[in-house]
Amino acid sequence: MNSILKPGPNTGAAQAIPITLTINGEVRHLTVEPWTSLLDLLRDELDLTGTKKGCDHGQCGACTVLIDDRRVNSCLTLAVMKDGASITTVEGLSQGDELHPMQDAFIEHDAFQCGYCTPGQICSAVGLIKEGRAHSAEEIREMMSGNLCRCGCYVNIVTAIEQVIESDGARIKEAAE
Amino acid sequence: MNRFSYARPTDVAEAVREVGSDPSARFIAGGTNLIDLMKYNVERPTRLVDITRLPLTTIDKADGGGLRIGALVPNSDLAYDDQVQARYPLLSDAILAGASPQLRNMASTGGNLLQRTRCLYFYDTATPCNKREPGSGCSAIEGVNRIHAILGTSSKCIATHPSDMCVGLAALNAKVHVAGPSGERVIAMADFHRLPGDQPERDTNLGPQELIVAVELPDEDFSKNYSYLKLRDRLSYAFALVSVAAALKIDGGKIAEARMALGGVAHKPWRDTTAEDMLRGKPAEEASFKPVADHILRDARGFGHNDFKIDLARRAIVRALSQAAAGTPQTQTDKRIK
Protein backbone atom coordinates (compact mmCIF):
# COMPACT_ATOMS: atom_id res chain seq x y z
CA MET A 1 0.00 0.00 0.00
CA ASN A 2 1.46 3.33 -0.83
CA SER A 3 1.91 5.75 2.00
CA ILE A 4 -0.58 8.33 0.75
CA LEU A 5 -3.43 5.86 1.39
CA LYS A 6 -2.43 5.07 4.93
CA PRO A 7 -4.57 6.81 7.53
CA GLY A 8 -2.63 9.75 8.94
CA PRO A 9 -1.64 9.21 12.54
CA ASN A 10 -2.83 11.56 15.21
CA THR A 11 -5.31 13.26 12.91
CA GLY A 12 -7.42 14.42 15.81
CA ALA A 13 -4.69 16.60 17.28
CA ALA A 14 -6.16 19.83 15.95
CA GLN A 15 -4.64 22.58 17.98
CA ALA A 16 -5.39 26.19 17.12
CA ILE A 17 -2.64 28.46 18.37
CA PRO A 18 -2.85 32.21 19.03
CA ILE A 19 -0.19 34.29 17.25
CA THR A 20 0.47 37.95 16.60
CA LEU A 21 1.69 39.16 13.21
CA THR A 22 2.24 42.66 11.93
CA ILE A 23 0.91 42.53 8.38
CA ASN A 24 1.54 45.54 6.16
CA GLY A 25 1.98 47.67 9.27
CA GLU A 26 -1.17 46.49 11.04
CA VAL A 27 -0.92 44.36 14.19
CA ARG A 28 -3.14 41.30 13.84
CA HIS A 29 -4.03 38.87 16.64
CA LEU A 30 -4.84 35.58 14.93
CA THR A 31 -5.52 31.95 15.74
CA VAL A 32 -3.96 29.44 13.36
CA GLU A 33 -3.75 25.70 13.03
CA PRO A 34 -0.08 24.65 13.03
CA TRP A 35 -0.23 23.28 9.48
CA THR A 36 -1.50 26.54 7.94
CA SER A 37 1.09 28.03 5.60
CA LEU A 38 1.64 31.76 5.70
CA LEU A 39 0.46 31.81 2.07
CA ASP A 40 -2.87 30.16 2.91
CA LEU A 41 -3.32 32.40 5.94
CA LEU A 42 -2.81 35.53 3.82
CA ARG A 43 -5.05 34.42 0.97
CA ASP A 44 -7.79 32.35 2.59
CA GLU A 45 -8.13 33.91 6.04
CA LEU A 46 -7.08 37.52 5.55
CA ASP A 47 -8.25 38.03 1.95
CA LEU A 48 -4.82 39.34 0.93
CA THR A 49 -4.94 37.60 -2.44
CA GLY A 50 -2.17 39.66 -4.05
CA THR A 51 0.30 36.99 -2.95
CA LYS A 52 -0.10 34.14 -5.42
CA LYS A 53 -0.03 30.37 -5.11
CA GLY A 54 1.96 29.00 -8.03
CA CYS A 55 3.66 25.65 -7.41
CA ASP A 56 3.10 25.62 -3.60
CA HIS A 57 6.50 23.87 -3.33
CA GLY A 58 9.05 26.70 -3.26
CA GLN A 59 10.04 26.33 -6.89
CA CYS A 60 8.39 29.30 -8.63
CA GLY A 61 8.55 32.30 -6.27
CA ALA A 62 4.96 33.51 -6.96
CA CYS A 63 4.30 33.44 -3.19
CA THR A 64 7.29 35.65 -2.28
CA VAL A 65 6.68 38.03 0.61
CA LEU A 66 8.99 39.92 2.95
CA ILE A 67 9.30 38.71 6.53
CA ASP A 68 11.17 41.23 8.69
CA ASP A 69 12.38 42.74 5.40
CA ARG A 70 13.78 39.46 4.00
CA ARG A 71 12.24 37.80 0.98
CA VAL A 72 10.96 34.26 1.55
CA ASN A 73 8.59 31.72 -0.02
CA SER A 74 5.36 31.99 2.00
CA CYS A 75 4.17 28.59 0.72
CA LEU A 76 6.96 26.83 2.67
CA THR A 77 6.47 28.95 5.79
CA LEU A 78 4.22 27.79 8.62
CA ALA A 79 2.37 30.85 9.93
CA VAL A 80 2.61 29.62 13.52
CA MET A 81 6.42 29.71 13.36
CA LYS A 82 6.41 33.42 12.48
CA ASP A 83 4.65 34.54 15.67
CA GLY A 84 5.83 38.10 16.36
CA ALA A 85 7.16 38.77 12.86
CA SER A 86 6.41 41.62 10.48
CA ILE A 87 5.09 40.60 7.07
CA THR A 88 4.99 42.78 3.97
CA THR A 89 2.95 41.61 0.99
CA VAL A 90 2.50 43.29 -2.38
CA GLU A 91 -0.55 45.07 -0.93
CA GLY A 92 1.71 46.78 1.62
CA LEU A 93 4.28 48.27 -0.75
CA SER A 94 2.39 51.39 -1.87
CA GLN A 95 2.01 54.51 0.25
CA GLY A 96 -1.69 55.26 -0.08
CA ASP A 97 -2.32 55.85 -3.78
CA GLU A 98 1.38 56.24 -4.50
CA LEU A 99 2.86 53.04 -5.91
CA HIS A 100 6.23 51.73 -4.78
CA PRO A 101 8.99 52.72 -7.26
CA MET A 102 9.31 49.01 -8.18
CA GLN A 103 5.61 48.84 -9.08
CA ASP A 104 5.97 52.00 -11.19
CA ALA A 105 9.02 50.56 -12.94
CA PHE A 106 7.25 47.27 -13.75
CA ILE A 107 4.43 49.26 -15.39
CA GLU A 108 6.80 51.60 -17.20
CA HIS A 109 8.86 48.75 -18.65
CA ASP A 110 5.93 46.39 -19.32
CA ALA A 111 7.61 43.80 -17.10
CA PHE A 112 4.72 41.34 -17.15
CA GLN A 113 2.22 39.73 -19.44
CA CYS A 114 -0.35 37.58 -17.60
CA GLY A 115 0.67 39.12 -14.26
CA TYR A 116 0.42 36.00 -12.12
CA CYS A 117 4.07 35.94 -11.07
CA THR A 118 4.23 39.74 -10.78
CA PRO A 119 3.46 40.25 -7.05
CA GLY A 120 6.16 37.69 -6.23
CA GLN A 121 8.58 39.25 -8.72
CA ILE A 122 7.99 42.71 -7.22
CA CYS A 123 8.32 41.58 -3.58
CA SER A 124 11.45 39.63 -4.51
CA ALA A 125 12.92 42.64 -6.33
CA VAL A 126 12.22 44.87 -3.33
CA GLY A 127 13.97 42.28 -1.14
CA LEU A 128 16.88 42.19 -3.59
CA ILE A 129 17.32 45.96 -3.36
CA LYS A 130 17.16 45.90 0.44
CA GLU A 131 19.94 43.28 0.37
CA GLY A 132 22.00 45.69 -1.75
CA ARG A 133 24.16 43.08 -3.47
CA ALA A 134 23.02 43.33 -7.08
CA HIS A 135 24.96 45.88 -9.09
CA SER A 136 24.68 44.63 -12.67
CA ALA A 137 22.14 42.99 -14.98
CA GLU A 138 24.05 39.74 -14.55
CA GLU A 139 23.75 39.91 -10.77
CA ILE A 140 20.06 40.84 -10.99
CA ARG A 141 19.42 37.81 -13.19
CA GLU A 142 21.21 35.47 -10.78
CA MET A 143 19.61 36.96 -7.67
CA MET A 144 16.12 36.91 -9.20
CA SER A 145 16.44 33.27 -10.25
CA GLY A 146 13.98 32.23 -7.53
CA ASN A 147 11.12 33.86 -9.46
CA LEU A 148 9.93 32.15 -12.62
CA CYS A 149 7.88 33.89 -15.32
CA ARG A 150 6.17 31.51 -17.71
CA CYS A 151 5.34 34.40 -20.07
CA GLY A 152 9.07 35.04 -20.35
CA CYS A 153 9.14 38.72 -19.41
CA TYR A 154 12.61 38.41 -17.91
CA VAL A 155 14.26 41.05 -20.11
CA ASN A 156 11.83 43.74 -19.05
CA ILE A 157 11.86 42.60 -15.42
CA VAL A 158 15.63 43.03 -15.32
CA THR A 159 15.34 46.46 -16.97
CA ALA A 160 12.72 47.57 -14.42
CA ILE A 161 14.87 46.44 -11.49
CA GLU A 162 17.98 48.06 -12.95
CA GLN A 163 16.13 51.36 -13.18
CA VAL A 164 15.02 51.22 -9.54
CA ILE A 165 18.51 50.30 -8.36
CA GLU A 166 19.86 53.35 -10.19
CA SER A 167 17.15 55.76 -9.04
CA ASP A 168 16.10 54.54 -5.59
CA GLY A 169 18.40 51.67 -4.62
CA ALA A 170 20.45 53.53 -2.03
CA ARG A 171 17.36 55.02 -0.39
CA ILE A 172 15.49 51.70 -0.22
CA LYS A 173 18.53 49.86 1.16
CA GLU A 174 19.09 52.57 3.76
CA ALA A 175 15.45 52.41 4.87
CA ALA A 176 15.86 48.66 5.39
CA GLU A 177 18.87 49.08 7.69
CA MET B 1 -0.40 17.51 4.68
CA ASN B 2 -1.24 15.44 7.75
CA ARG B 3 -2.26 17.05 11.04
CA PHE B 4 0.39 17.49 13.71
CA SER B 5 0.90 19.07 17.10
CA TYR B 6 3.40 21.86 17.62
CA ALA B 7 5.96 22.78 20.26
CA ARG B 8 8.25 25.77 20.49
CA PRO B 9 11.01 25.12 23.04
CA THR B 10 13.50 27.81 23.99
CA ASP B 11 16.52 25.76 24.99
CA VAL B 12 18.36 22.78 23.50
CA ALA B 13 17.65 20.33 26.35
CA GLU B 14 13.93 21.08 26.16
CA ALA B 15 13.99 20.62 22.35
CA VAL B 16 15.70 17.24 22.68
CA ARG B 17 13.13 16.19 25.30
CA GLU B 18 10.25 17.38 23.13
CA VAL B 19 11.37 15.42 20.09
CA GLY B 20 11.79 12.35 22.28
CA SER B 21 8.19 12.57 23.47
CA ASP B 22 6.82 11.26 20.17
CA PRO B 23 8.60 8.71 17.92
CA SER B 24 7.51 10.46 14.73
CA ALA B 25 8.28 14.00 15.92
CA ARG B 26 10.64 16.11 13.81
CA PHE B 27 12.65 19.23 14.47
CA ILE B 28 11.82 22.10 12.13
CA ALA B 29 13.87 25.23 11.40
CA GLY B 30 13.74 26.75 7.89
CA GLY B 31 11.24 24.14 6.79
CA THR B 32 12.17 24.47 3.10
CA ASN B 33 12.59 20.72 2.65
CA LEU B 34 10.45 19.24 5.45
CA ILE B 35 7.29 21.19 4.61
CA ASP B 36 7.73 20.35 0.93
CA LEU B 37 8.02 16.65 1.81
CA MET B 38 5.00 16.91 4.10
CA LYS B 39 2.94 18.37 1.25
CA TYR B 40 3.85 15.27 -0.79
CA ASN B 41 3.02 12.96 2.16
CA VAL B 42 6.58 11.66 2.07
CA GLU B 43 7.12 12.91 5.61
CA ARG B 44 4.20 12.57 8.03
CA PRO B 45 5.34 13.76 11.45
CA THR B 46 2.72 13.85 14.18
CA ARG B 47 4.58 16.53 16.10
CA LEU B 48 6.82 19.38 14.98
CA VAL B 49 9.36 20.83 17.37
CA ASP B 50 10.10 24.39 16.21
CA ILE B 51 13.73 25.08 17.08
CA THR B 52 13.89 28.60 15.63
CA ARG B 53 13.79 30.16 19.13
CA LEU B 54 16.92 28.29 20.30
CA PRO B 55 20.07 30.38 20.83
CA LEU B 56 22.00 28.86 17.89
CA THR B 57 22.07 31.90 15.63
CA THR B 58 25.61 33.26 15.80
CA ILE B 59 28.92 32.75 14.00
CA ASP B 60 31.78 32.81 16.49
CA LYS B 61 35.50 32.12 16.69
CA ALA B 62 35.98 28.47 17.63
CA ASP B 63 38.37 27.41 20.41
CA GLY B 64 40.98 26.09 17.99
CA GLY B 65 40.98 29.30 15.92
CA GLY B 66 38.40 28.16 13.38
CA LEU B 67 34.81 29.25 13.08
CA ARG B 68 31.78 27.90 14.91
CA ILE B 69 28.55 28.37 12.97
CA GLY B 70 25.30 28.11 14.92
CA ALA B 71 22.90 25.56 13.46
CA LEU B 72 20.22 28.21 12.92
CA VAL B 73 22.36 30.64 10.90
CA PRO B 74 20.47 31.07 7.61
CA ASN B 75 22.32 29.94 4.47
CA SER B 76 22.33 33.50 3.09
CA ASP B 77 23.79 35.01 6.27
CA LEU B 78 26.48 32.32 6.30
CA ALA B 79 27.39 32.83 2.64
CA TYR B 80 27.70 36.60 3.02
CA ASP B 81 29.35 36.64 6.45
CA ASP B 82 32.55 38.72 6.31
CA GLN B 83 34.66 36.09 8.07
CA VAL B 84 33.36 33.28 5.89
CA GLN B 85 33.95 35.27 2.71
CA ALA B 86 37.49 36.15 3.80
CA ARG B 87 38.61 32.83 5.29
CA TYR B 88 36.35 30.20 3.69
CA PRO B 89 35.27 31.58 0.29
CA LEU B 90 34.84 28.01 -1.00
CA LEU B 91 31.97 27.53 1.47
CA SER B 92 30.43 30.86 0.55
CA ASP B 93 30.53 29.97 -3.16
CA ALA B 94 29.10 26.50 -2.60
CA ILE B 95 26.14 27.96 -0.70
CA LEU B 96 25.49 30.62 -3.33
CA ALA B 97 25.52 27.95 -6.03
CA GLY B 98 22.47 26.34 -4.45
CA ALA B 99 18.74 27.14 -4.27
CA SER B 100 17.37 30.68 -4.65
CA PRO B 101 17.80 33.84 -2.56
CA GLN B 102 14.39 33.26 -0.93
CA LEU B 103 15.24 29.69 0.04
CA ARG B 104 18.71 30.66 1.25
CA ASN B 105 17.07 33.30 3.48
CA MET B 106 14.94 30.57 5.05
CA ALA B 107 17.16 27.49 5.12
CA SER B 108 19.31 26.89 8.20
CA THR B 109 22.86 25.57 8.44
CA GLY B 110 21.78 22.43 10.31
CA GLY B 111 18.81 21.85 8.04
CA ASN B 112 20.97 22.03 4.93
CA LEU B 113 22.93 19.03 6.23
CA LEU B 114 19.69 17.15 6.78
CA GLN B 115 17.95 17.81 3.49
CA ARG B 116 16.81 14.69 1.73
CA THR B 117 17.41 13.43 -1.77
CA ARG B 118 15.48 14.89 -4.69
CA CYS B 119 15.19 11.41 -6.28
CA LEU B 120 11.89 11.58 -8.18
CA TYR B 121 10.83 8.16 -6.92
CA PHE B 122 11.50 9.12 -3.31
CA TYR B 123 9.03 11.98 -3.83
CA ASP B 124 6.46 9.88 -5.69
CA THR B 125 4.50 7.90 -3.09
CA ALA B 126 2.88 5.81 -5.84
CA THR B 127 6.21 4.09 -6.62
CA PRO B 128 8.43 1.73 -4.62
CA CYS B 129 11.40 3.37 -2.88
CA ASN B 130 13.65 1.73 -0.29
CA LYS B 131 14.52 5.09 1.24
CA ARG B 132 10.87 6.03 1.78
CA GLU B 133 9.52 2.55 2.47
CA PRO B 134 12.33 0.12 3.36
CA GLY B 135 12.01 -3.17 1.53
CA SER B 136 9.68 -1.86 -1.20
CA GLY B 137 12.41 -1.79 -3.87
CA CYS B 138 14.29 0.85 -5.86
CA SER B 139 12.44 2.30 -8.85
CA ALA B 140 15.42 4.30 -10.06
CA ILE B 141 17.90 1.50 -10.78
CA GLU B 142 15.99 0.42 -13.85
CA GLY B 143 13.94 3.61 -14.14
CA VAL B 144 14.59 7.21 -15.12
CA ASN B 145 17.95 7.76 -13.46
CA ARG B 146 19.58 10.72 -15.18
CA ILE B 147 20.07 12.58 -11.89
CA HIS B 148 21.25 9.58 -9.88
CA ALA B 149 24.50 8.44 -8.31
CA ILE B 150 27.54 6.89 -10.00
CA LEU B 151 29.68 6.28 -6.91
CA GLY B 152 29.02 4.37 -3.69
CA THR B 153 25.64 3.06 -4.83
CA SER B 154 24.02 -0.14 -3.54
CA SER B 155 21.49 -2.59 -4.96
CA LYS B 156 18.96 -0.89 -2.65
CA CYS B 157 19.42 2.79 -3.57
CA ILE B 158 21.16 5.07 -6.09
CA ALA B 159 19.96 8.41 -4.72
CA THR B 160 22.26 11.43 -4.43
CA HIS B 161 22.62 13.95 -1.63
CA PRO B 162 21.36 17.28 -3.02
CA SER B 163 23.35 19.83 -1.00
CA ASP B 164 26.01 22.16 -2.39
CA MET B 165 26.91 23.55 1.03
CA CYS B 166 27.77 20.08 2.31
CA VAL B 167 30.20 19.53 -0.57
CA GLY B 168 32.07 22.65 0.52
CA LEU B 169 31.97 21.57 4.17
CA ALA B 170 33.33 18.13 3.27
CA ALA B 171 36.28 19.61 1.36
CA LEU B 172 37.00 21.96 4.25
CA ASN B 173 37.06 19.15 6.86
CA ALA B 174 34.19 20.61 8.87
CA LYS B 175 32.88 19.02 12.06
CA VAL B 176 29.28 18.72 13.14
CA HIS B 177 28.41 19.38 16.80
CA VAL B 178 25.28 17.58 17.93
CA ALA B 179 23.32 17.43 21.18
CA GLY B 180 21.24 14.49 22.33
CA PRO B 181 19.74 12.93 25.43
CA SER B 182 23.19 11.82 26.62
CA GLY B 183 25.00 15.10 25.96
CA GLU B 184 27.01 16.58 23.11
CA ARG B 185 29.29 14.87 20.61
CA VAL B 186 31.24 15.86 17.52
CA ILE B 187 30.98 14.07 14.16
CA ALA B 188 33.50 14.62 11.37
CA MET B 189 31.82 15.74 8.16
CA ALA B 190 33.15 12.62 6.39
CA ASP B 191 31.30 10.43 8.91
CA PHE B 192 28.11 12.47 9.08
CA HIS B 193 26.35 11.32 5.91
CA ARG B 194 26.11 7.63 4.98
CA LEU B 195 26.30 5.54 1.84
CA PRO B 196 23.00 3.75 1.16
CA GLY B 197 24.16 0.14 1.73
CA ASP B 198 21.34 -1.98 3.12
CA GLN B 199 19.77 0.93 5.00
CA PRO B 200 19.08 3.71 2.49
CA GLU B 201 16.37 5.06 4.80
CA ARG B 202 19.19 6.40 6.97
CA ASP B 203 20.78 9.45 5.37
CA THR B 204 23.07 10.30 8.28
CA ASN B 205 24.62 8.89 11.44
CA LEU B 206 22.62 11.26 13.61
CA GLY B 207 20.68 9.52 16.39
CA PRO B 208 16.89 9.80 16.44
CA GLN B 209 16.79 12.44 19.18
CA GLU B 210 19.99 14.23 18.26
CA LEU B 211 19.99 17.86 17.22
CA ILE B 212 22.70 19.63 15.23
CA VAL B 213 23.78 22.63 17.31
CA ALA B 214 26.76 23.92 15.29
CA VAL B 215 29.11 23.31 12.39
CA GLU B 216 32.79 24.01 13.00
CA LEU B 217 35.32 24.97 10.35
CA PRO B 218 38.97 24.26 11.19
CA ASP B 219 41.62 26.98 11.28
CA GLU B 220 43.02 26.31 7.81
CA ASP B 221 43.62 28.65 4.92
CA PHE B 222 42.28 27.59 1.54
CA SER B 223 41.25 31.13 0.63
CA LYS B 224 43.59 31.62 -2.35
CA ASN B 225 43.39 28.53 -4.51
CA TYR B 226 39.86 27.17 -4.57
CA SER B 227 36.84 26.76 -6.82
CA TYR B 228 33.28 25.49 -6.57
CA LEU B 229 32.24 24.30 -10.01
CA LYS B 230 28.60 23.25 -10.37
CA LEU B 231 27.20 21.78 -13.58
CA ARG B 232 23.44 21.58 -14.00
CA ASP B 233 20.62 21.65 -16.53
CA ARG B 234 19.99 25.40 -16.20
CA LEU B 235 22.34 28.15 -15.11
CA SER B 236 20.74 28.86 -11.76
CA TYR B 237 18.30 27.40 -9.26
CA ALA B 238 18.80 23.75 -10.18
CA PHE B 239 20.41 20.82 -8.41
CA ALA B 240 23.87 19.70 -9.47
CA LEU B 241 24.36 16.99 -12.04
CA VAL B 242 27.96 17.12 -10.93
CA SER B 243 29.70 19.61 -8.68
CA VAL B 244 33.29 19.83 -7.48
CA ALA B 245 34.70 21.68 -4.50
CA ALA B 246 38.44 22.01 -4.98
CA ALA B 247 40.98 23.63 -2.67
CA LEU B 248 44.75 23.68 -2.94
CA LYS B 249 47.72 24.96 -1.01
CA ILE B 250 50.50 25.70 -3.48
CA ASP B 251 54.14 26.23 -2.59
CA GLY B 252 56.63 27.11 -5.33
CA GLY B 253 54.37 25.80 -8.11
CA LYS B 254 53.94 22.45 -6.34
CA ILE B 255 50.85 21.26 -4.52
CA ALA B 256 51.45 21.20 -0.76
CA GLU B 257 47.94 20.12 0.09
CA ALA B 258 44.78 19.30 -1.85
CA ARG B 259 41.16 18.95 -0.85
CA MET B 260 38.35 17.85 -3.05
CA ALA B 261 34.72 16.79 -2.70
CA LEU B 262 32.11 15.98 -5.31
CA GLY B 263 28.37 16.64 -5.28
CA GLY B 264 25.60 15.12 -7.39
CA VAL B 265 27.41 11.80 -7.76
CA ALA B 266 26.75 9.90 -4.52
CA HIS B 267 24.56 9.45 -1.47
CA LYS B 268 26.92 11.77 0.39
CA PRO B 269 29.50 14.42 -0.54
CA TRP B 270 32.15 12.24 -2.20
CA ARG B 271 35.59 12.70 -0.72
CA ASP B 272 38.51 10.46 -1.68
CA THR B 273 41.57 11.23 0.40
CA THR B 274 43.72 8.83 -1.64
CA ALA B 275 43.20 11.17 -4.60
CA GLU B 276 44.23 14.11 -2.46
CA ASP B 277 47.38 12.24 -1.43
CA MET B 278 48.21 11.67 -5.11
CA LEU B 279 48.31 15.42 -5.71
CA ARG B 280 50.73 16.24 -2.92
CA GLY B 281 54.11 17.30 -4.35
CA LYS B 282 52.86 17.41 -7.95
CA PRO B 283 53.08 20.52 -10.15
CA ALA B 284 49.86 22.56 -9.93
CA GLU B 285 48.93 22.06 -13.57
CA GLU B 286 46.42 20.18 -15.70
CA ALA B 287 48.73 17.24 -16.42
CA SER B 288 48.70 16.43 -12.69
CA PHE B 289 44.92 16.53 -12.47
CA LYS B 290 43.86 14.06 -15.15
CA PRO B 291 45.20 10.90 -13.48
CA VAL B 292 43.61 12.03 -10.22
CA ALA B 293 40.23 12.43 -11.91
CA ASP B 294 40.56 8.93 -13.39
CA HIS B 295 41.48 7.62 -9.95
CA ILE B 296 38.42 9.18 -8.29
CA LEU B 297 36.11 7.70 -10.94
CA ARG B 298 37.82 4.27 -10.94
CA ASP B 299 34.79 2.48 -9.49
CA ALA B 300 32.13 4.70 -11.06
CA ARG B 301 29.12 2.92 -12.49
CA GLY B 302 26.27 4.37 -14.51
CA PHE B 303 22.71 3.08 -14.67
CA GLY B 304 21.84 4.09 -18.22
CA HIS B 305 20.56 7.64 -18.27
CA ASN B 306 23.30 8.85 -15.94
CA ASP B 307 26.25 7.23 -17.74
CA PHE B 308 27.24 10.69 -18.99
CA LYS B 309 28.01 11.76 -15.43
CA ILE B 310 31.18 9.65 -15.33
CA ASP B 311 32.91 11.60 -18.07
CA LEU B 312 31.30 14.86 -16.91
CA ALA B 313 32.66 14.32 -13.39
CA ARG B 314 36.11 13.47 -14.74
CA ARG B 315 36.29 16.68 -16.72
CA ALA B 316 34.71 18.77 -13.95
CA ILE B 317 37.41 17.60 -11.52
CA VAL B 318 40.18 18.65 -13.92
CA ARG B 319 38.49 21.99 -14.61
CA ALA B 320 37.80 22.80 -10.95
CA LEU B 321 41.39 21.93 -9.95
CA SER B 322 42.69 24.05 -12.85
CA GLN B 323 40.54 26.97 -11.72
CA ALA B 324 41.80 26.52 -8.16
CA ALA B 325 45.44 26.30 -9.28
CA ALA B 326 45.10 29.48 -11.35
CA GLY B 327 43.43 31.34 -8.47
CA THR B 328 40.43 32.03 -10.71
CA PRO B 329 37.48 30.43 -8.90
CA GLN B 330 34.28 29.76 -10.79
CA THR B 331 32.06 32.82 -10.35
CA GLN B 332 28.56 32.08 -9.10
CA THR B 333 27.12 35.07 -10.99
CA ASP B 334 28.58 34.87 -14.48
CA LYS B 335 28.16 31.14 -15.06
CA ARG B 336 30.47 30.94 -18.04
CA ILE B 337 33.06 28.30 -17.30
CA LYS B 338 36.60 29.45 -17.91
Side-chain angles (χ1 to χ4, degrees), chain B residues 39-52:
Chain B
K39 287 184 178 189
Y40 282 110
N41 283 306
V42 174
E43 293 270 9
R44 300 168 68 79
T46 52
R47 186 166 180 76
L48 286 188
V49 180
D50 175 356
I51 58 168
T52 56

Side-chain angles (χ1 to χ4, degrees), chain A residues 138-150:
Chain A
E138 232 156 38
E139 286 171 338
I140 293 170
R141 275 194 288 273
E142 169 59 20
M143 294 179 196
M144 286 296 292
S145 68
N147 293 83
L148 306 190
C149 172
R150 292 298 297 273

Side-chain angles (χ1 to χ4, degrees), chain B residues 153-231:
Chain B
T153 55
S154 78
S155 61
K156 301 280 192 287
C157 181
I158 60 169
T160 58
H161 194 261
S163 170
D164 291 296
M165 186 185 94
C166 290
V167 180
L169 290 176
L172 291 169
N173 255 355
K175 291 183 215 160
V176 186
H177 292 251
V178 307
S182 49
E184 291 208 13
R185 66 180 178 124
V186 181
I187 309 171
M189 193 63 197
D191 301 325
F192 186 80
H193 295 99
R194 297 164 54 93
L195 290 177
D198 288 332
Q199 285 184 293
E201 70 275 17
R202 290 190 65 194
D203 295 346
T204 72
N205 286 313
L206 208 57
Q209 276 178 264
E210 284 186 315
L211 173 71
I212 298 173
V213 292
V215 171
E216 185 182 336
L217 294 168
D219 182 20
E220 288 185 293
D221 186 6
F222 287 101
S223 64
K224 286 182 187 63
N225 295 98
Y226 69 93
S227 186
Y228 189 75
L229 176 63
K230 178 176 179 178
L231 304 171

Side-chain angles (χ1 to χ4, degrees), chain A:
Chain A
M1 189 158 95
N2 76 49
S3 57
I4 201 165
L5 299 175
K6 285 180 186 165
N10 210 16
T11 46
Q15 175 197 31
I17 297 170
I19 61 169
T20 302
L21 297 176
T22 302
I23 300 176
N24 297 330
E26 189 187 338
V27 177
R28 307 286 296 260
H29 301 287
L30 305 159
T31 304
V32 297
E33 289 165 327
W35 47 86
T36 303
S37 71
L38 178 60
L39 175 61
D40 287 345
L41 175 71
L42 292 170
R43 290 182 56 84
D44 299 345
E45 308 288 330
L46 304 177
D47 208 25
L48 290 166
T49 54
T51 307
K52 295 292 185 272
K53 182 177 280 194
C55 67
D56 208 25
H57 287 282
Q59 298 178 4
C60 76
C63 68
T64 302
V65 299
L66 302 172
I67 301 184
D68 297 330
D69 274 342
R70 292 161 70 103
R71 47 182 168 154
V72 300
N73 303 101
S74 62
C75 72
L76 294 181
T77 302
L78 295 178
V80 68
M81 291 176 65
K82 294 301 163 187
D83 190 11
S86 178
I87 318 289
T88 304
T89 70
V90 70
E91 291 94 340
L93 291 177
S94 61
Q95 303 278 336
D97 287 339
E98 196 182 327
L99 292 180
H100 188 280
M102 191 63 74
Q103 293 172 306
D104 278 329
F106 267 59
I107 294 168
E108 187 183 337
H109 292 281
D110 199 16
F112 47 84
Q113 196 178 115
C114 83
Y116 198 81
C117 73
T118 310
Q121 296 277 2
I122 288 175
C123 284
S124 187
V126 171
L128 168 103
I129 289 181
K130 288 176 192 284
E131 290 157 11
R133 297 191 186 96
H135 307 289
S136 64
E138 232 156 38
E139 286 171 338
I140 293 170
R141 275 194 288 273
E142 169 59 20
M143 294 179 196
M144 286 296 292
S145 68
N147 293 83
L148 306 190
C149 172
R150 292 298 297 273
C151 302
C153 296
Y154 296 110
V155 174
N156 293 356
I157 291 170
V158 171
T159 307
I161 297 171
E162 268 184 305
Q163 175 184 300
V164 180
I165 289 174
E166 278 165 29
S167 60
D168 293 87
R171 188 180 56 76
I172 293 170
K173 182 170 185 286
E174 213 165 86
E177 279 164 358

